């Protein structure tokens, strides 16, 4: 089991499966089909669109071939959705056509997005939250339109289970590249354990829902609603009383000033004519049907053109951006024996990850590279290496990869234990000498390249580009792999 296989097949498949539930429910409402058939068709379309974006990202096909494949998938999906309704009336067929165009464009767009996205844990969490909100809105709309057409319970349960398994596989993809070979089998068992625990929690929730009477919850909610309505009535009566008092005060002052506006004579109304109003007769000639079909054809052409434009734009973006590379996990694996000792550290790391999720994604390559450098410093901190105050990035990195710094950090961790604070590496302590830098070998070259890229992003007017950010991420992964951990 390798990380590319997990990312390209398992993780992308879970993304498409997660998106398919609410899309199938939406298609069932728009096109009045079977939920099972719509689910199968949606999954196949999403997987096909994701496969097109993935092979384009890997460079196996050209951009024009990807555009042709996406357009073909769009028209095939539209045809499959419209064919069952060809015997409907003209008005109903027009509505089905518009719904099929919108749904097909949405499916192709989401499938291409799932194929070109990277497997970062924070992006997977954002995707799961977005799918949860869309599922809630679609099911709420389905309940208002026809409660018997779409059953909410299977969709909610399947969405929750798929989202949890997708997040577990995403974390597995993030850490499997830095884990030892003998630990990878344990990691796969960990994903299965997460899925089993999720199923047990859902079963327990179903049991509790069947045990407790829903009338109790309804009574509590009704009491709260009645109390809120009474409080709102009191506020409304108070505001009305204040308005009445204020109006009476103004009227009293007006009486003191003898403000009596003159009476205006009412203007005479318009004369009523006895002749009836002319009525427009409907157009029943041969050109009426022609005008209706021409208008519908223009609307369908506009929808199809917009959908094709979105697909071509997404495919072009996927070609320009390319593969964003491997994202390294920021924390490290722990065994079952160390859970009690490292519970505080894991909680602190979780709070830091939540804080980083709230940060805006970098839009400029300079900001992205500086963020990657901060991630490098966070990754070096558990190894016993921290940048001292007043130390430049180049001095810190060259000192961190020097044999003296690595030996001293390892000895300090053995003496003080893994909970000890990292030693500060910088100008005042262990500044890297030219001999130490030369003795570090490939690690020194990687540190020099990382420092040069960071200085360009921080101080150079020209700055860096997105390929430089990818190169910095790859060099960071190689540097961390050379350090003893």
């Amino acid at each position: 089991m390798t990380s590319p296989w997990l990312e390209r097949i398992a993780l992308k498949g879970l993304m498409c499966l997660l998106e398919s539930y609410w899309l199938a429910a939406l298609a069932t409402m728009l096109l009045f089909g079977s939920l099972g058939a719509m689910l199968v068709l949606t999954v196949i379309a999403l997987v096909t669109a994701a496969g097109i974006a993935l092979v384009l990202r890997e460079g196996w096909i050209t951009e024009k071939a990807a555009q042709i494949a996406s357009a073909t998938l769009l028209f095939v999906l539209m045809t499959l959705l419209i064919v069952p309704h060809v015997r409907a009336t003209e008005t109903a067929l027009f509505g089905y056509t518009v719904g099929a165009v919108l749904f097909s464009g949405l499916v192709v767009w989401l499938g291409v997005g799932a194929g070109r996205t990277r497997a970062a844990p924070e992006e997977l969490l954002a995707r799961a939250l977005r799918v949860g909100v869309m599922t809630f809105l679609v099911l709420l709309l389905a309940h208002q339109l026809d409660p018997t057409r779409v059953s909410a319970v299977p969709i909610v349960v399947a969405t929750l289970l798929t989202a949890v398994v997708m997040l577990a596989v995403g974390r597995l993809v993030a850490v499997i590249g830095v884990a030892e070979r003998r630990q990878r089998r344990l990691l796969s068992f960990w994903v299965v354990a997460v899925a089993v625990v999720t199923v047990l929690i859902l079963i327990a929730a179903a049991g509790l829902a069947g045990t407790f009477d829903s009338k109790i919850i309804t009574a509590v909610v009704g009491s709260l609603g009645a109390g809120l309505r009474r409080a709102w009535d009191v506020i409304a009566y108070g505001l009305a009383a204040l308005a009445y008092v204020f109006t009476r005060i103004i009227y009293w002052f007006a009486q003191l000033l003898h403000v009596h506006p003159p009476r205006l004579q009412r203007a005479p109304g318009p004369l009523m004519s006895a002749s009836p109003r002319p009525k427009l007769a409907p157009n029943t000639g041969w050109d009426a049907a022609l005008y209706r079909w021409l208008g519908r054809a223009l609307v369908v052409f506009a929808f199809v053109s917009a959908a094709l434009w979105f697909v071509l734009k997404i495919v072009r973006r996927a070609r320009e951006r390319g593969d964003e590379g491997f994202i390294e996990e920021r924390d490290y694996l722990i065994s079952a024996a160390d859970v009690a000792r490292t519970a505080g550290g894991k909680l602190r790391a979780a709070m830091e990850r939540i804080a980083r999720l709230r940060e805006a994604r970098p839009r400029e390559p300079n900001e992205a590279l500086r963020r990657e450098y901060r991630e490098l410093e966070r990754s070096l901190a558990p190894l016993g290496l921290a940048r001292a105050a007043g130390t430049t990035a180049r001095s810190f990195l060259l000192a961190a990869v020097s044999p003296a710094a690595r030996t001293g950090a390892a000895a300090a961790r053995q003496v003080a234990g893994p909970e000890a604070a990292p030693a500060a590496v910088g100008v005042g302590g262990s500044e890297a000498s030219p001999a130490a830098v030369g003795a570090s070998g490939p690690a020194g070259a990687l540190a020099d390249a990382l420092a040069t890229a960071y200085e360009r992003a921080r101080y150079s007017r020209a700055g860096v580009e997105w390929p430089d950010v990818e190169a910095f991420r790859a060099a960071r992964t190689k540097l961390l792999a050379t350090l003893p951990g």
Side-chain angles (χ1 to χ4, degrees):
M1 180 174 56
T2 59
S3 178
W5 182 88
L6 284 174
E7 181 183 2
R8 295 172 185 171
I9 298 180
L11 191 57
K12 302 298 182 184
L14 288 172
M15 289 181 186
C16 296
L17 187 61
L18 182 64
E19 297 281 359
S20 64
Y21 299 125
W22 70 273
L23 286 173
L26 181 62
T28 304
M29 288 191 304
L30 294 177
L31 304 173
F32 297 96
S34 173
L35 181 60
M38 291 298 177
L39 180 61
V40 173
L41 184 62
T42 305
V43 171
I44 294 175
L46 285 172
V47 171
T48 306
I52 293 173
L54 187 60
V55 297
L56 177 62
R57 191 183 70 176
E58 298 294 333
W60 295 344
I61 60 174
T62 61
E63 181 179 359
K64 185 172 294 186
Q67 294 175 358
I68 295 174
S70 301
T72 304
L73 175 62
L74 180 64
F75 283 112
V76 169
L77 185 58
M78 288 171 48
T79 304
L80 292 176
L81 292 174
I82 296 175
V83 164
H85 306 285
V86 291
R87 296 184 179 180
T89 60
E90 295 181 0
T91 306
L93 181 60
F94 178 73
Y96 291 142
T97 304
V98 174
V101 170
L102 292 175
F103 177 75
S104 303
L106 183 62
V107 168
V108 174
W109 176 49
L110 292 176
V112 172
R116 67 181 177 86
T117 188
R118 62 179 185 177
E122 56 269 17
E123 293 192 3
L124 293 179
L125 180 59
R127 177 181 293 271
L129 294 176
R130 177 183 61 80
V131 171
V133 173
M134 295 302 300
T135 303
F136 173 76
L137 294 178
V138 169
L139 293 178
L140 181 62
L141 180 61
H143 180 73
Q144 295 296 327
L145 296 178
D146 189 359
T148 61
R149 179 164 295 276
V150 178
S151 180
V153 175
I155 295 177
V156 172
V157 172
T159 301
L160 290 175
L161 183 59
T162 308
V164 171
V165 175
M166 183 190 69
L167 293 176
V169 174
R171 182 170 292 274
L172 177 62
V173 170
V175 302
I176 198 172
V178 296
E180 298 181 2
R181 185 178 299 274
R182 58 186 179 85
Q183 292 180 344
R184 294 180 181 179
R185 185 181 299 275
L186 298 177
L187 292 175
S188 62
F189 291 157
W190 172 75
V191 175
V192 176
V194 169
V196 171
V197 170
T198 306
V199 172
L200 293 177
I201 292 175
L202 293 175
I203 293 175
L208 290 176
T211 302
F212 290 101
D213 190 0
S214 60
K215 296 181 180 179
I216 300 176
I217 302 177
T218 305
V220 173
V221 174
S223 301
L224 292 177
L228 291 176
R229 285 193 295 271
R230 292 299 178 87
W232 177 253
D233 291 340
V234 170
I235 295 174
Y237 283 127
L239 293 176
L242 291 177
Y244 175 76
V245 171
F246 186 70
T247 305
R248 294 296 300 175
I249 291 174
I250 294 177
Y251 182 77
W252 182 70
F253 276 106
Q255 290 293 333
L256 293 178
L257 296 176
H258 300 284
V259 178
H260 299 288
R263 295 182 179 179
L264 299 178
Q265 295 181 357
R266 181 178 297 178
L271 297 177
M272 302 299 295
S273 177
S275 60
R277 180 177 298 178
K279 298 182 180 180
L280 297 177
N283 188 6
T284 58
W286 64 271
D287 56 340
L290 178 62
Y291 293 151
R292 287 197 299 269
W293 280 106
L294 181 60
R296 294 169 183 174
L298 291 176
V299 172
V300 173
F301 177 76
F303 276 115
V304 173
S305 301
L308 287 177
W309 179 77
F310 276 115
V311 171
L312 295 179
K313 184 176 180 181
I314 291 170
V315 173
R316 188 177 294 110
R317 273 187 169 181
R319 182 65 177 176
E320 291 175 355
R321 291 180 60 181
D323 191 2
E324 298 194 2
F326 175 74
I327 306 299
E328 184 182 358
E329 179 68 13
R330 299 186 180 94
D331 58 351
Y332 52 89
L333 298 175
I334 58 175
S335 61
D338 298 332
V339 171
R341 180 168 49 85
T342 58
K346 287 185 67 67
L347 179 60
R348 183 171 58 255
M351 298 302 295
E352 292 177 356
R353 285 197 299 271
I354 294 174
R356 286 198 295 272
L357 285 177
R358 299 183 61 183
E359 297 180 0
R361 297 180 181 177
R363 298 182 178 179
E364 299 295 333
N366 293 332
E367 181 184 356
L369 195 141
R370 292 170 65 181
R371 181 172 294 186
E372 295 293 337
Y373 175 75
R374 292 196 295 269
E375 295 297 330
L376 175 60
E377 287 192 355
R378 294 191 185 103
S379 301
L380 291 175
L383 302 179
L385 302 172
R387 185 164 66 92
T391 305
T392 62
R394 181 177 297 274
S395 301
F396 166 65
L397 292 177
L398 293 178
V401 300
S402 63
R406 286 183 287 180
T407 305
R413 290 199 306 270
Q414 291 179 359
V415 173
E419 298 297 333
V425 178
V427 176
S430 56
E431 181 73 21
S433 62
V437 172
S440 60
L446 290 173
D448 182 72
L450 292 173
T452 302
Y454 174 73
E455 291 170 352
R456 285 176 54 197
R458 181 69 184 273
Y459 304 108
S460 176
R461 180 174 297 178
V464 297
E465 301 296 336
W466 287 110
D468 299 326
V469 178
E470 302 298 331
F472 187 93
R473 187 181 292 115
R476 182 190 67 185
T477 304
K478 293 179 181 179
L479 179 64
L480 293 176
T482 59
L483 297 178

